[in-house]
Amino acid sequence: MRSGSSRRRHKAARPFAVALALVLMGALYAVLSPATQVAADTGMSAQVAEGKGLFQVTCSSCHGLNGEGSSQGPSLIGVGAASVDFQMSTNRMPMARPGQQAPRRPVTYTAEEIAAIAAFVQSLGPGPAIPPSSAYDASNLDAEAIARGGELFRSNCSACHQAAASGGALPNGKYAPSLHGVEPLHIYEAMRTGPQQMPVFSAGAIPDEDVASIIGYLKELEQQPSAGFSLGGLGPVTEGFFGWVVGIGGLCLVAVWIASRGARAK
Ligand code: HEC
Ligand code: HEC
């Protein structure tokens, strides 16, 4: 009788003891492990996991479920976060149709989404990372450094992008885009990752301070009304407006023309 009741007490006590032990272990772990380290790790892997999810929805049709590539797109293992940031921040990726040059478009992804996908691709294999702004800061360059940037630009870049950096055609219907109005970060990333026909300019070939000089030169070029095509030096707002009116107006004319031809063909 006594032994029976004590066994019953025992049975009830066992799960309670296990739960208590778990709680104690959890508390002990929380106290002993460096809290910031845990937070950083879970934060990072959560970002990679989010990036993986986004990647598998948006990018895997061409780049494979794990970035291994397919007949529609190259492997992204080892291309690095900078390449993803460049491709997505200029919205070249996700590419609309495979097989041609991906054009620059207005961006539709948030900075967080791009950072998550970049972190996922970086986790596949290390490549050029997204640089801190100090790596390419061109705001305090003297005239000498900017002149050096001009020299570097003429010897390394103008063959494709033209002397005034206004862009130019390349063989097989490809083109080197205009560099006016491109963000300094994207100039840096383009040089380090070499999109499409553009060669990679590694830190060994052109160190960070020379990249900053080239950026300084390109930004100075934008200030000069004579560089590229200008509308009486009225600045980028009018140019943008002009481009908008001519571009959209032209598209409307083409649409009307096609419609009228279609009607005639019937
Ligand atoms: C329709 C197919 C397609 C889709 C979808 C697509 N890509 Fe691409 N991607 C390509 C092709 C083709 C290239 C190589 C040619 C080029 O650079 O234009 C490429 C190139 C890239 C590169 C440059 C690789 C290098 O060598 O530096 C990156 C980075 C990239 N894609 C990331 C992405 C990400 C991230 C997504 C999803 C948000 C995505 N792509 C969606 C087809 C695609
Ligand atoms: C062999 C030709 C070639 C050379 C040389 C070259 N580029 Fe490019 N560059 C390209 C092409 C082609 C693209 C477009 C890639 C794409 O659309 O994916 C490009 C794209 C860029 C972009 C992205 C512009 C945008 O619209 O987002 C930048 C910035 C850039 N180049 C800077 C440079 C700089 C700076 C140099 C010299 C250090 C240089 N390039 C040398 C061919 C070249």
Side-chain angles (χ1 to χ4, degrees):
M1 189 65 192
R2 267 198 74 182
S3 69
S5 84
S6 94
R7 209 182 300 134
R8 226 176 293 131
R9 225 176 26 238
H10 232 90
K11 265 189 196 150
R14 209 178 288 155
F16 176 73
V18 168
L20 189 73
L22 279 176
V23 167
L24 277 177
M25 261 168 69
L28 206 67
Y29 181 74
V31 168
L32 291 184
S33 64
T36 48
Q37 186 61 43
V38 170
D41 280 347
T42 51
M44 190 35 113
S45 54
Q47 190 189 35
V48 169
E50 187 201 339
K52 184 174 183 172
L54 287 166
F55 185 90
Q56 296 192 331
V57 172
T58 351
C59 322
S60 63
S61 59
C62 296
H63 292 293
L65 276 175
N66 293 300
E68 71 278 13
S70 77
S71 58
Q72 308 289 342
S75 161
L76 297 183
I77 296 167
V79 304
S83 182
V84 173
D85 188 54
F86 170 77
Q87 297 283 343
M88 290 194 73
S89 299
T90 61
N91 210 7
R92 287 178 161 84
M93 294 292 146
M95 204 178 196
R97 275 166 298 166
Q100 12 131 258
Q101 181 163 352
R104 204 186 161 99
R105 292 174 297 173
V107 179
T108 48
Y109 289 82
T110 67
E112 288 75 36
E113 289 169 332
I114 294 173
I117 295 180
F120 166 65
V121 169
Q122 184 79 20
S123 79
L124 299 175
I130 300 168
S133 59
S134 57
Y136 54 87
D137 181 22
S139 55
N140 293 316
L141 294 181
D142 55 17
E144 201 185 318
I146 290 176
R148 182 169 159 66
E151 273 165 40
L152 287 165
F153 183 82
R154 282 185 290 278
S155 52
N156 292 290
C157 325
S158 63
C160 296
H161 290 284
Q162 305 298 323
S166 45
L170 295 174
N172 302 320
K174 309 257 182 173
Y175 60 90
S178 160
L179 301 182
H180 298 297
V182 178
E183 299 248 338
L185 172 62
H186 301 149
I187 298 174
Y188 184 103
E189 290 174 336
M191 287 180 63
R192 292 293 187 247
T193 64
Q196 291 222 332
Q197 285 92 332
M198 181 163 156
V200 172
F201 297 91
S202 66
I206 300 190
D208 282 0
E209 62 259 35
D210 286 347
V211 175
S213 290
I214 292 176
I215 291 170
Y217 172 73
L218 286 173
K219 292 299 144 196
E220 180 145 297
L221 212 55
E222 282 171 17
Q223 307 300 311
Q224 295 169 5
S226 59
F229 111 88
S230 82
L231 293 166
L234 287 173
V237 176
T238 31
E239 278 182 30
F241 182 68
F242 183 75
W244 182 251
V245 168
V246 169
I248 298 295
L251 281 177
C252 290
L253 286 179
V254 169
V256 167
W257 179 71
I258 290 174
S260 71
R261 268 175 59 102
R264 226 179 294 141
K266 274 187 211 137

